[in-house]
Amino acid sequence: MKSNQSPDLNSLRIFLEVARTESFSAAAIRLHLPPSTVSRRLLELETTLGTALLLRSTRRVSLTEAGRQLFDSISGALEAVERGIANVRPAEGAVRGRLRVATSFSFARAFLPAILARYAELCPQVQVDVQTTHGNIDLVGESVDVALRMGGSPPTAT
């Protein structure tokens, strides 16, 4: 029975793991799932696609021709999707992204090389963009995260 719905990404991931390990049990262990869930999800996937993907025996699981075609077609793509998702999820405690800094040319030349070298050691996943300016800028309008300036003390409120 073929369904009009698209396969679920998690079912495809389970399929790939079963195909790689040639075992429902081994795939279940690697995916931290009960073997019954692995079996059920693969049956649902085969039903959705309207074709058998796996040949099952008591000792081994192997791919059908359709299963081999699916495996070859999606293995790289699904890995790319998982890498993409991992790239946008912040690692626990890790700082990542882009930091936009505005400063004067003289400050950038005198102080930033040492500061940025140390910052790169501490936060290697942060890309720092430095914009040199001659005066004050609109931080929000220019999408600047921090502005560094040299000079006297700022005026105090009296």
Side-chain angles (χ1 to χ4, degrees):
M1 167 187 289
K2 191 173 183 177
S3 168
N4 287 335
Q5 71 185 60
S6 295
D8 170 273
L9 284 178
N10 288 323
S11 295
L12 293 172
R13 184 172 173 242
I14 291 168
F15 163 73
L16 289 176
E17 199 58 46
V18 170
R20 286 183 184 120
T21 61
E22 298 180 340
S23 165
F24 282 78
S25 300
I29 290 168
R30 290 183 67 168
L31 295 169
H32 307 288
L33 294 171
S36 61
T37 299
V38 171
S39 179
R40 180 179 47 79
R41 294 296 292 268
L42 285 173
L43 186 57
E44 290 170 1
L45 178 61
E46 290 176 322
T47 301
T48 298
L49 295 175
T51 189
L53 300 172
L54 302 166
L55 298 171
R56 298 152 173 90
S57 75
T58 55
R59 295 183 181 176
R60 191 168 162 227
V61 175
S62 60
L63 294 172
T64 63
E65 182 57 34
R68 170 60 51 201
Q69 288 176 358
L70 182 63
F71 181 86
D72 291 343
S73 297
I74 68 167
S75 59
L78 193 58
E79 289 167 4
V81 167
E82 289 176 346
R83 275 193 310 275
I85 291 169
N87 287 338
V88 298
R89 279 193 178 142
E92 231 176 275
V95 178
R96 63 174 33 180
R98 178 173 296 188
L99 177 65
R100 292 175 184 92
V101 177
T103 189
S104 65
F105 180 77
S106 58
F107 186 91
R109 197 173 77 189
F111 299 105
L112 276 188
I115 293 169
L116 292 179
R118 179 68 178 134
Y119 189 78
E121 289 174 14
L122 296 172
C123 304
Q125 295 181 355
V126 174
Q127 178 185 345
V128 179
D129 294 337
V130 177
Q131 174 185 352
T132 56
T133 65
H134 292 293
N136 294 333
I137 62 169
D138 176 8
L139 298 178
V140 175
E142 305 250 354
S143 299
V144 172
D145 299 307
V146 63
L148 303 170
R149 298 283 178 235
M150 289 192 314
S153 299
T156 58
T158 53

